[in-house]
Amino acid sequence: MADEAVAARPAEPAAPKAKEARSPEAPPRGGGRGDDRAKDAPERPDAPEPTDTSDSADDEAGEREKERERAADRFKDRTRDPLTEEEGEEGPTDAAAAARARREGQKLLSSNRDLIGFDRSDIGQVHIGDINVRLDALRSGLLMRDGPVPAEELLRIRRTHIEPDGYVRLRRALEARRLLVLGGAPGTGRASTALALLEEVTRVGEGRENSERVRRADPARGVRELATQVAGGTGGHPRGTGYLLEPALDRPGTLPPDGMDLDQLASALAEQGSYAVVVVSVGSAANPLLAGRYGAICPPAPTRELVAVRLRQRLEEEHGDPVRGGGAGGPGGGDGRGPRDGDGSRDAGGGRDRNGGAHRDRGRDEHADRDGGPDGGGDGRRDGDGGRGRDGRAGRDGGRSGDRPGRGAGPDGDGSLSLLLERAAELREDPEVTEAVGLDDLRPAEAELFASLLAGHLRGTVSRAELLSGCRGLAAVQAYEWFAGVDRALAAPPPGDGRTPVRSGTAALFHPVAFRIALAVLGGASHSAVSAAAHLLTWELSVQSDPDSTPARPLFCDDPEADLALSRARPADGVVDVAGSEVTGRLIFYRGSALPAAVLAELWDRHFPVRAPVVRWLRLLADDPRPQVSMRAAVAAGELSVRDFEHGYAELIRPLAEAPTPRRRVFAATALDQAAGHASHRRAVRKVVDNWSLHGTPAQRWTAAMALGYGRCADSMDDTLDTLAEIGVRDDGEQLAVASLNVVRLLTLPECATVLRRLAAWTGHRREEYQDLALVSIVRLALTDVDEVLDDEPGTPLGDRGDWPLLLALAATRPELTGKLADLFWTALNTARSRDVALDALETLLRSASRKDGRAWTREGLAALLPALTAEEQDRRRLDWLLRRMMRDQDRPLAEERARALWRLAVPARQRRSEEEESHG
């Protein structure tokens, strides 16, 4: 213990005498108590008159008292919160919210999504087993050209397209108005649905005899030119033709068609007996079109049905049936995929009906209601898995193929299609496979690849490792598609429709990209926080792209629903931390746990010019006072640093570690710890922290202490404590407050006993700085709530006591540590410079026994700690005095009943004195 004794006061009992048996690891020392008792002793009547010697003694005693007061003030100052912005600021920091935000950010980025191998010399393809995926074919609109849709593709669409909910309503709207503006997010199958609609309505219209009755229109010409072409009959297009148009509204300066343009096109189509579907992406540019009388939203096809149908096709085409196994999906069909539709989605089949009754027959009554929905209503042909009429079909296939093994059958050698389908259903629901996919729902191209991977694994051509790697690659492919060539349109010439845009529109172009990055960094935060961060990043990207222009962003054109659709995001009601309280808010997440890491990896590994604006943006987020923003950004910064530690350290970690504000230094420490969580970078991070703690500036030492508090930035717990002690005692304890805070944070880790032993050793150290480090840590242990320092989720012994003082939570959950905890706190109570602060902390602990409504709170922890803390008579006298003081407190008087209950918790009945019984029951 420290070498100062407690001074006895008239209002409280004298300090207990030191006893070696109390704490063999750190026996309290009682030096100075004799002087204190002499000072406070009453004068005797026969005392001699003061002499010069007595005056000198009084002066010395007065100086000693002043020095003790100064030491107590210095000690109290060291117990302040080191995370406050200004020295002396009394407002509490929201450490609990910061800990929760960091924990939630780590969960979103914890999946190792770098296992998919791209050929860095040719990013245009991914090769998994015998499955080859052309990534450049996924870029929306690249294959859209003016010309007829091949008859083979129409046949494939007719037989394999999966109807989304509301399909019949879309068809009836097209039949009634001749024109349909179909909106949806890229990749959701909207162009496939548009082609299916056009194929169906033209097959019974005036152009049914025409083999080129469905045409793709050049997206660069726009609605006006298409209307002129249809009305004038130019181009040799017969009556009854169906047109698919995808206008390039995402090009800067491109203005969407207005209502008069659409009316003109609809009139021309009616005169020619033709139809047209205009496919647009949801967003501010297309919203006026979708809100008009021609507009409609295209729902995505159901994921389970997509995968089930594609998987059946894959297994059937490889099962050796020469009648239904040919086409593009057969041995000569390349990658086994049918033609790609205009939306970047691909459907298997290659023009052959390999699924028989599993798909709808478009030759039936055109007016039958097929909008059955997931429950099998409507045409009544959906089975329990979301497909149509599969049960009978599977039985026929199984009976026919049961006598001969399928080609490339699985490991068990059973080629029966029905058995393969059963195994495929089990494999699809495998938790490891589901986690590897990491997407809540699959889009058509993703369902195609997923089905191919499952079928390949069942046939034995794709190993388990390749299957999981390919599944992880689905999110990587989506991220690649989102970012590839986003700003290529900036170099394109302006539209030739006679209208001149007012501004270049870089902000409108970059906003969807910025929103995806912001969501990857801040996923799980409030929707408003993510949106505000996205606007900040939009500005940074726009300035980086066009530094000579001021970015312009309309204030009233945002569409939150469009942001969600374009980013595969979902809203959810949840809890937001505001000023230490939890309130209900609208949170936002990606629709898939794999997307955040995939987006960050794609951004950092492949788009180097974007790093500068993103770094500036992350520095802005580091200054955000909301922990839900700054801590999530710090975790993301750590992950980005792992992908390029040289750049991350130079541009993010070191500059922020040297910042004057604690908030920025906490950001840097959190990023360092996140990098230390990766074994590949742990050694480098530990070297950085070690150098800062020994040779760094005061700001760097402060940051190193915060990083050490996470427990991963040193080789062992002993090394961590040694480094924290070096930081804390250096320069007369300048960094003692932050060092003690991080010693307390270490007490939530499994090596808690090691930390307590080191604290006990420090209390007996010959240097006062080490004693103070121990005493401040002990007092801080009593004043810190579990939520402020714990990384565990609720459900653990400590996690379920989040609002408990850490000292009491440890006493309740780790009974083997109760004696050490009591000894350490007893030392703080019996050391002069820490006595007042420790007594205040003890009062706080006592008041936490029950809540204001009378429900039990920390009573269990007090029941474990108090008996060990009041084992001696003098300790019980101090508790008696403190309870009396609390009962007499005019601001917050302690009820007599509660005081009696606390006394009974601390003192067994056999040890209570009669006068204490009168006071406390």
Side-chain angles (χ1 to χ4, degrees):
M1 114 172 219
D3 53 3
E4 296 181 55
V6 175
R9 298 181 300 182
E12 66 178 76
K17 295 181 179 180
K19 292 186 179 291
E20 293 291 329
R22 281 286 302 165
S23 180
E25 293 180 334
R29 303 200 311 245
R33 279 203 297 267
D35 292 340
D36 294 336
R37 285 194 297 269
K39 175 180 68 69
D40 288 330
E43 291 187 6
R44 291 181 301 174
D46 55 348
E49 291 295 324
T51 61
D52 291 341
T53 304
S54 63
D55 290 341
S56 176
D58 290 342
D59 292 341
E60 290 179 3
E63 287 299 322
R64 286 197 299 270
E65 179 64 22
K66 291 179 181 179
E67 178 58 32
R68 278 193 292 269
E69 291 176 357
R70 286 192 292 267
D73 290 340
R74 286 195 302 270
F75 185 89
K76 184 176 182 179
D77 184 62
R78 286 171 173 173
T79 61
R80 64 177 174 82
D81 188 351
L83 304 181
T84 52
E85 292 293 336
E86 300 294 339
E87 192 171 327
E89 182 180 336
E90 295 297 334
T93 55
D94 203 349
R100 283 191 291 270
R102 172 179 172 270
R103 184 167 63 241
E104 292 166 2
Q106 286 180 321
K107 284 195 302 183
L108 291 179
L109 296 174
S110 62
S111 54
N112 296 323
R113 293 290 165 181
D114 55 352
L115 301 180
I116 178 68
F118 289 108
D119 182 359
R120 294 299 177 181
S121 62
D122 181 13
I123 192 63
Q125 63 184 7
V126 184
H127 188 75
I128 306 166
D130 63 351
I131 301 170
N132 190 59
V133 184
R134 294 290 303 176
L135 297 187
D136 52 2
L138 296 177
R139 301 180 193 174
S140 177
L142 288 183
L143 299 184
M144 284 294 297
R145 294 293 183 268
D146 190 8
V149 177
E152 293 80 5
E153 185 171 353
L154 291 181
L155 182 59
R156 174 185 64 82
I157 290 292
R158 173 182 174 185
R159 292 174 173 170
T160 65
H161 178 256
I162 305 298
E163 296 176 358
D165 292 341
Y167 178 87
V168 171
R169 290 192 295 272
L170 297 177
R171 188 199 69 210
R172 290 172 178 170
L174 179 59
E175 290 173 338
R177 300 189 180 94
R178 301 279 176 169
L179 174 63
L180 181 66
V181 179
L182 195 61
T188 56
R190 55 190 184 159
S192 295
T193 299
L195 286 174
L197 290 167
L198 291 172
E199 191 278 334
E200 185 169 356
V201 296
T202 57
R203 182 157 41 88
V204 296
E206 298 182 34
R208 56 183 175 272
E209 303 298 332
N210 178 17
S211 61
E212 299 181 351
R213 65 178 185 273
V214 179
R215 301 183 62 88
R216 290 187 174 97
D218 187 352
R221 295 182 179 178
V223 171
R224 284 188 175 182
E225 288 196 25
L226 179 60
T228 302
Q229 185 181 25
V230 172
T234 59
H237 304 166
R239 293 177 59 86
T241 299
Y243 299 90
L244 172 63
L245 173 64
E246 288 193 60
L249 300 182
D250 58 346
R251 292 177 57 180
T254 301
L255 300 177
D258 54 31
M260 295 183 63
D261 295 333
L262 297 177
D263 288 340
Q264 182 182 359
L265 176 57
S267 177
L269 292 169
E271 291 177 3
Q272 296 294 324
S274 300
Y275 302 88
V277 177
V278 179
V279 175
V280 297
S281 294
V282 292
S284 58
N287 282 350
L289 303 178
L290 297 175
R293 59 179 172 274
Y294 302 105
I297 296 294
C298 179
T303 293
R304 291 184 59 84
E305 184 172 354
L306 274 173
V307 175
V309 170
R310 300 296 183 262
L311 183 57
R312 171 181 283 273
Q313 292 169 353
R314 285 287 172 263
L315 294 176
E316 284 182 341
E317 70 189 32
E318 295 295 337
H319 205 257
D321 189 336
V323 177
R324 296 175 301 119
D335 64 354
R337 289 162 179 76
R340 175 185 179 275
D341 66 29
D343 194 280
S345 304
R346 292 159 301 166
D347 291 294
R352 304 296 198 277
D353 185 6
R354 293 187 293 274
N355 203 31
H359 303 292
R360 58 187 172 86
D361 182 3
R362 293 184 183 273
R364 67 180 181 270
D365 183 4
E366 315 304 337
H367 300 287
D369 188 355
R370 288 164 300 178
D371 188 22
D375 59 353
D379 62 3
R381 301 174 65 180
R382 295 178 185 247
D383 61 20
D385 192 32
R388 298 171 178 80
R390 287 193 193 85
D391 293 341
R393 182 65 187 171
R396 291 194 298 272
D397 287 341
R400 183 178 61 252
S401 58
D403 297 332
R404 54 181 175 83
R407 176 168 54 87
D412 61 358
D414 189 347
S416 170
L417 180 60
S418 59
L419 293 180
L420 284 177
L421 289 172
E422 292 177 4
R423 292 174 53 203
E426 295 176 359
L427 183 61
R428 186 175 60 184
E429 302 299 331
D430 187 316
E432 191 175 10
V433 172
T434 301
E435 189 278 334
V437 171
L439 299 172
D440 293 351
D441 44 50
L442 298 180
R443 293 179 172 180
E446 295 163 350
E448 178 79 15
L449 177 56
F450 184 47
S452 298
L453 290 168
L454 293 176
H457 182 62
L458 292 173
R459 298 194 310 265
T461 59
V462 175
S463 68
R464 175 80 175 186
E466 289 175 328
L467 169 66
L468 298 177
S469 180
C471 290
R472 293 186 182 100
L474 294 175
V477 170
Q478 173 65 95
Y480 172 79
E481 181 185 353
W482 274 342
F483 290 99
V486 167
D487 53 354
R488 186 180 294 115
L490 291 175
D497 57 3
R499 294 176 293 176
T500 303
V502 179
R503 288 185 177 271
S504 64
T506 56
L509 178 69
F510 286 128
H511 179 70
V513 175
F515 191 88
R516 291 162 188 155
I517 298 172
L519 184 55
V521 171
L522 304 179
S526 65
H527 194 167
S528 61
V530 174
S531 182
H535 282 292
L536 286 177
L537 182 55
T538 300
W539 175 277
E540 295 292 345
L541 294 174
S542 301
V543 170
Q544 185 78 11
S545 175
D546 188 7
D548 296 330
S549 301
T550 301
R553 179 71 181 163
L555 300 180
F556 298 98
C557 292
D558 272 4
D559 184 355
E561 298 304 321
D563 288 339
L564 296 179
L566 292 174
S567 300
R568 298 183 75 161
R570 62 177 176 86
D573 292 333
V575 173
V576 179
D577 291 293
V578 179
S581 301
E582 294 183 349
V583 297
T584 302
R586 188 174 190 252
L587 311 183
I588 183 172
F589 301 85
Y590 267 117
R591 295 185 64 83
S593 60
L595 287 171
V599 166
L600 294 182
E602 172 70 20
L603 174 74
W604 217 242
D605 293 348
R606 296 192 47 77
H607 303 282
F608 296 104
V610 180
R611 289 188 175 188
V614 170
V615 164
R616 294 196 299 268
W617 175 67
L618 287 173
R619 290 180 181 179
L620 291 175
L621 298 187
D623 293 325
D624 197 294
R626 295 168 295 181
Q628 65 163 326
V629 174
S630 59
M631 294 303 291
R632 282 182 169 88
V635 171
E639 287 296 316
L640 295 177
S641 298
V642 169
R643 308 202 73 84
D644 187 347
F645 193 73
E646 177 189 16
H647 187 272
Y649 175 78
E651 298 296 329
L652 277 171
I653 295 176
R654 181 169 181 174
L656 294 178
E658 297 172 345
T661 60
R663 186 174 287 118
R664 285 197 160 200
R665 298 198 294 266
V666 170
F667 185 101
T670 304
L672 271 177
D673 171 74
Q674 188 67 18
H678 295 258
S680 58
H681 289 70
R682 193 166 297 144
R683 182 177 179 182
V685 171
R686 289 174 177 176
K687 183 66 174 177
V688 168
V689 172
D690 190 56
N691 286 338
W692 283 357
S693 62
L694 293 176
H695 312 296
T697 64
Q700 288 176 335
R701 294 199 303 273
W702 194 100
T703 305
M706 288 300 301
L708 288 165
Y710 291 114
R712 297 191 293 192
C713 293
D715 293 333
S716 66
M717 180 59 72
D718 284 327
D719 291 340
T720 300
L721 292 167
D722 287 340
T723 307
L724 283 173
E726 292 171 359
I727 294 173
V729 304
R730 185 173 174 177
D731 298 333
D732 296 327
E734 178 185 358
Q735 307 282 2
L736 193 144
V738 69
S740 67
L741 170 64
N742 289 284
V743 170
V744 171
R745 293 171 64 196
L746 295 174
L747 286 167
T748 63
L749 302 180
E751 302 91 336
C752 175
T754 302
V755 181
L756 293 179
R757 285 195 298 269
R758 184 62 65 89
L759 286 174
W762 287 341
T763 59
H765 201 281
R766 65 177 181 273
R767 290 182 56 185
E768 186 175 302
E769 292 84 356
Y770 281 91
Q771 298 172 17
D772 281 351
L773 177 59
L775 294 170
V776 171
S777 301
I778 295 165
V779 172
R780 198 180 297 280
L781 172 62
L783 296 175
T784 301
D785 287 347
V786 173
D787 272 344
E788 299 177 20
V789 292
L790 184 67
D791 285 336
D792 291 348
E793 291 282 352
T796 62
L798 283 180
D800 289 338
R801 296 169 172 82
D803 60 348
W804 282 37
L806 181 57
L807 176 61
L808 297 182
L810 288 173
T813 60
R814 302 284 299 273
E816 73 278 8
L817 302 178
T818 301
K820 296 179 181 179
L821 292 168
D823 281 349
L824 290 170
F825 197 57
W826 183 91
T827 302
L829 287 169
N830 287 277
T831 303
R833 60 183 180 274
S834 62
R835 178 194 57 201
D836 291 342
V837 178
L839 276 173
D840 291 341
L842 179 58
E843 178 177 345
T844 301
L845 297 179
L846 294 173
R847 290 187 182 275
S848 70
S850 57
R851 303 184 187 276
K852 292 182 179 180
D853 58 4
R855 291 182 296 118
W857 186 2
T858 65
R859 181 183 177 88
E860 179 187 2
L862 288 169
L865 180 69
L866 288 180
L869 191 63
T870 58
E872 303 294 337
E873 176 65 23
Q874 198 161 358
D875 302 331
R876 292 191 287 274
R877 290 176 54 199
R878 175 171 49 227
L879 177 62
D880 174 66
W881 170 85
L882 183 57
L883 289 173
R884 292 171 185 267
R885 189 182 75 173
M886 293 168 63
M887 294 171 64
R888 294 194 300 266
D889 191 324
Q890 296 185 3
D891 295 326
R892 293 191 306 161
L894 181 68
E896 181 180 349
E897 181 182 354
R898 292 191 177 184
R900 185 182 301 118
L902 289 170
W903 178 254
R904 289 175 175 173
L905 276 181
V907 182
R910 65 180 181 276
Q911 296 178 352
R912 299 173 197 158
R913 301 196 318 245
S914 58
E915 61 270 21
E916 291 166 344
E917 286 291 311
E918 295 177 2
S919 299
H920 306 299

